[in-house]
Amino acid sequence: MVVGLVALTMARFHLAEAQQPKKAPQTIGFPQGGATPASLVDAFRQGLRELGYVEGQNILIQYRRAQGKLDQISALVAELVQLKVDVIFTANTLAALAAKKATTSIPIVIVAASDPVEAGLVDSLARPGGNVTGLTRFTTELSGKRLELLKEAFPKISLAAVLWNPRVLGPSLAFKETQAAAHGLGLQLQSLEVGEPNDFDKAFSAIAKQRPSALMVLGDAVTILHRARILEFAAKSRLPAMYDRPDDVNGGGLMFYGVNEAELFRRAASYVDKILKGAKPSELPVEQPRKFEFIINLKAAKQIGVTIPQSVLYRADKVIR
């Protein structure tokens, strides 16, 4: 009799449990202006998994990609707002600005390429205010450091070409810093503006005509989408180049110095987690980069016929052989 009662009680318990509606997964909206490298998207997803989120079970990610067509970003963000996602995650400043303009109620987590204060995304890093917080890749010293390393590796350079997009705040700030660093190093710069695909042929022709001895690429959505063209041109021109995205060097470029972006994207997951658990974006300080890395691709060096000094190789965090 007791066994029968226990069995009946357990049956009722399981029936009641089955009848309870399952909690719907929370949703992240992820609008992308350019093609965010798969490795960085994976780092963000890994960060979520480490915090107990399983896609399709307790979390969903709604991706919207503009594929470099920057005029489409606002429409993609508006679509996510209409879906009433729980949080918006953006990996570039343009998408973050579009999200901030589109909603004041949905929390926005950023990994911004430019200064989020100067961009107008937050009031300050310590006290963001509003509905935006997260992390920034931007530090004013990075562009100067890249030029210093380029000069150290190739002491004889006197003129460096710089590919940059004047329509985007991050590259604009980086170019100003590069100019200041060039003055201190006694270098001249060949400024080449690439705001859209048609600008690249003109820029490459100008480089071929003026024949600079090095190249710097200040990345944004446009240069990321046209990475293959830039890498191919630098290789064919036998031009030593410094890049600001690790994927450029992993894809065949010569040197990279900058933020460890995978770490930033993993850390962004913790912001999403805190917000989904009730934290207010206005009370979560924006964090700056903690880890930097210097990568040299010796395969690329061999391809263009240059030798990297051993003193510079010793400073690299990673050498691709």
Side-chain angles (χ1 to χ4, degrees), residues 126-265:
R127 299 180 181 277
N131 61 325
V132 180
T133 188
L135 306 104
T136 175
R137 301 183 183 101
F138 183 79
T139 65
T140 56
E141 301 85 4
L142 281 180
S143 291
K145 185 66 175 178
R146 291 186 186 109
L147 201 58
E148 285 178 21
L149 289 168
L150 196 56
K151 177 70 171 174
E152 188 176 340
F154 306 99
K156 293 182 179 180
I157 64 173
S158 57
L159 174 65
V162 184
L163 290 178
W164 65 292
N165 186 351
R167 302 177 185 178
V168 180
L169 181 61
S172 298
L173 294 173
F175 182 70
K176 288 181 182 178
E177 177 65 22
T178 305
Q179 285 180 308
H183 180 74
L185 293 167
L187 292 174
Q188 290 185 311
L189 299 181
Q190 181 185 12
S191 173
L192 300 160
E193 299 180 359
V194 284
E196 56 186 47
N198 294 335
D199 292 334
F200 284 94
D201 288 337
K202 182 180 177 182
F204 294 158
S205 295
I207 290 174
K209 183 177 180 180
Q210 197 162 347
R211 300 183 65 82
S213 43
L215 171 68
M216 282 190 65
V217 180
L218 308 182
D220 76 305
V222 175
T223 57
I224 289 172
L225 280 172
H226 295 274
R227 172 182 289 128
R229 290 178 66 186
I230 297 170
L231 293 174
E232 182 183 6
F233 174 79
K236 284 185 176 180
S237 304
R238 301 173 73 86
L239 201 56
M242 172 68 78
Y243 301 89
D244 68 354
R245 303 289 171 116
D247 278 13
D248 294 332
V249 175
N250 293 329
L254 181 64
M255 293 194 295
F256 158 79
Y257 175 75
V259 175
N260 185 319
E261 293 192 330
E263 190 230 2
L264 282 186
F265 275 69

